[in-house]
Amino acid sequence: MTDLKEKIYQMFILGLEGGNYKTALQNNLGGIIFFTKDIQSPEQFKQLIKDVKSQAKTAPFLSIDQEGGRVERTENIHGGKKYLSAKFAYEKGLNFVKQQTEEIAKELKSYGINLNFAPCIDTNTNPDNPIIGERAFSSNPDEVIKAEKVVSSTYLKNGILPCVKHFPGHGDANSDSHLTLPEINLTLDVMENYHIKPFKSAIENGIDMVMIAHLHCTCFEKEKIPTSLSKNAVNYLREKLNFNGVIISDDMIMKGVSEFGEVEACLMAINAGVNMFIYRNSDDTTINIIEKIYQEAIINKELKNKIESSYKKIIELKKARGIYEIR
C-alpha cells in the first residue's frame, strides 16, 4: 500500500545536484533527470543509472533533455560528434529527422534512459526569440506537426517515452523563462492557429506526456500567472484538447515561476491540475518543498484528491509503457 507521502514523491523528477535524490528514491520519487555534468563516459553513466534504479522503491522515470544541437546532454561522451538541432535536422528532410531520432533513441536506451523531454514542438514565430530559435522545427505549425509525428513515433518504437514541450507554445516569447516570466500577448485564436496546433495534433495522435511552460499567456490569464500554475490553461489542455495523460512542469527553479513562492507555486500548480514537477536539484530546499506539500495535504482534502488523481495517472503511464515495477 502506497501512503500519501510516497504518492507526493512520485509526482517529482529531481536532478542529482544536492545529493538528496537517494533518500527521495527510497521515499518513492517519480524520477531522475540527468544533465551534462552527470555524464562522463558510457560505462560511468550506465552504472549511475543502475545505481539509481537499485535505490528506487518504484521504477523511476530516467529522464534527459536530448533534443540535439543546443540542448544535448551526452556531448561529453560523443568525441565531438553532435546531433543537429530540430531546425537544421528538419531542413534535411523527414527521413533525416527519423534517422537521427532513431540514433538518439538507441543511444539513450543503451544507457537505460526511458524518458526524453523532446520533441520541442514550439512554432518559432518570433525571430528574436532568445530561448527557442533553432530548437523549433519550423515557424510554420503544419511543418512542426509533420516533424512531431515522426519524432514521437520513432521514440516510442525504440522504447523511449517522448514528452512534447512547451505547451501552450514558447515560440512567440521575447524573453527567456529561465530568467523572467515572458508575456505572450496573443489572442486565443492566434494561439490556436499557430502555437497550440502542434499540441492538438500530438494529443490526437496519443502523446502520453505534455510539458507545460512558465509563460504568462494573456489569452488564459489576465493576471500575471504562468500557464504552469494556471487553472484556465490546464483546463483547456484537459477539456478542449481532451488530453488525458501526464502534465509535467518545466523546471520549477526557473525565474518564470520561482518568484511565486517555492511551496506556493507547487500548490497552485497541483490545484490547477499539473501532475508532475521537474527540479534540477535534490537539495534540502527541494526536499523541504515536497515535505511541506505533504503537511498541507494531510489537512487539505481537495489537495489530497488532486495528489491521488496525479499518482494514478503517473502509475498508469508507467504501466502502459512498461516502466512500472515495485520493490
Side-chain angles (χ1 to χ4, degrees):
M1 185 72 181
T2 311
D3 67 25
L4 179 61
K5 186 188 275 195
E6 289 173 339
K7 286 176 179 174
I8 295 167
Y9 267 90
Q10 190 61 209
M11 293 170 67
F12 287 80
I13 291 180
L14 305 184
L16 304 185
E17 187 86 31
N20 289 320
Y21 69 93
K22 292 176 184 175
T23 317
L25 284 163
Q26 288 154 19
N27 284 328
N28 209 33
L29 184 68
I32 295 284
I33 182 166
F34 299 99
F35 292 95
T36 308
K37 64 183 181 313
D38 306 319
I39 307 166
Q40 303 309 323
S41 74
E43 297 68 36
Q44 167 268 338
F45 192 33
K46 282 177 197 172
Q47 189 57 50
L48 174 60
I49 284 181
K50 223 178 258 181
D51 294 346
V52 163
K53 284 169 87 170
S54 73
Q55 290 168 72
K57 179 156 186 178
T58 303
F61 284 125
L62 297 155
S63 69
I64 200 163
D65 288 293
Q66 186 86 336
E67 299 169 20
R70 235 165 57 198
V71 180
E72 190 171 315
R73 307 300 188 209
T74 57
E75 56 200 341
N76 288 342
I77 53 179
H78 273 165
K81 176 185 183 284
K82 275 180 83 78
Y83 297 109
L84 292 186
S85 59
K87 176 181 187 285
F88 299 122
Y90 188 68
E91 282 171 1
K92 283 178 168 280
L94 283 174
N95 280 343
F96 181 87
V97 169
K98 183 173 191 284
Q99 183 192 328
Q100 176 170 281
T101 306
E102 245 162 25
E103 268 183 61
I104 295 173
K106 283 174 178 158
E107 184 193 359
L108 296 181
K109 188 79 179 164
S110 76
Y111 305 133
I113 293 287
N114 54 31
L115 166 62
N116 190 9
F117 294 118
C120 176
I121 60 168
D122 303 289
T123 305
N124 195 49
T125 51
N126 181 357
D128 298 323
N129 194 321
I131 186 64
I132 301 301
E134 67 185 56
R135 295 171 65 193
F137 292 105
S138 175
S139 55
N140 178 336
D142 298 320
E143 304 296 323
V144 176
I145 286 168
K146 285 180 202 166
E148 183 278 324
K149 282 179 182 168
V150 168
V151 172
S152 295
S153 62
T154 304
Y155 276 131
L156 275 178
K157 275 183 199 140
N158 287 279
I160 301 287
L161 181 68
C163 171
V164 293
K165 61 188 186 185
H166 309 81
F167 179 83
H170 220 301
D172 204 63
N174 59 6
S175 56
D176 180 348
S177 52
H178 292 86
L179 310 173
T180 184
L181 179 62
E183 183 181 291
I184 306 277
N185 190 13
L186 298 172
T187 64
L188 184 58
D189 193 44
V190 171
M191 282 300 289
E192 285 176 334
N193 286 322
Y194 286 92
H195 301 283
I196 293 172
K197 199 175 181 183
F199 293 93
K200 183 174 187 284
S201 169
I203 290 161
E204 284 166 356
N205 288 313
I207 202 78
D208 294 307
M209 189 182 274
V210 173
M211 183 187 288
I212 194 162
H214 308 312
L215 297 169
H216 175 215
C217 292
T218 56
C219 64
F220 290 123
E221 297 287 350
K222 293 287 170 270
E223 273 183 78
K224 199 180 164 188
I225 296 170
T227 39
S228 49
L229 315 184
S230 160
K231 273 187 183 168
N232 292 335
V234 174
N235 285 349
Y236 181 95
L237 196 45
R238 292 286 185 217
E239 289 158 27
K240 188 84 196 281
L241 300 185
N242 299 315
F243 180 60
N244 198 33
V246 170
I247 299 173
I248 187 164
S249 76
D250 207 339
D251 192 342
M252 290 295 286
I253 68 160
M254 288 162 67
K255 287 284 188 290
V257 71
S258 60
E259 65 188 45
F260 287 81
E262 290 164 352
V263 180
E264 291 78 3
C266 264
L267 291 173
M268 276 177 79
I270 295 169
N271 284 320
V274 173
N275 308 120
M276 290 195 88
F277 299 95
I278 299 172
Y279 279 84
R280 65 175 50 241
N281 302 323
S282 56
D283 56 10
D284 292 347
T285 304
T286 309
I287 299 302
N288 193 36
I289 292 166
I290 302 173
E291 294 290 335
K292 282 189 172 163
I293 292 167
Y294 170 58
Q295 294 304 326
E296 179 64 26
I298 293 169
I299 53 170
N300 183 330
K301 193 163 188 295
E302 193 186 337
L303 179 64
K304 184 173 179 283
N305 289 342
K306 295 271 191 186
I307 289 160
E308 298 279 357
S309 164
S310 288
Y311 175 77
K312 191 164 169 273
K313 272 191 194 300
I314 296 159
I315 297 302
E316 275 172 4
L317 174 53
K318 285 184 173 181
K319 284 179 175 171
R321 294 301 173 197
I323 294 167
Y324 182 76
E325 58 185 68
I326 193 159
R327 276 169 63 203

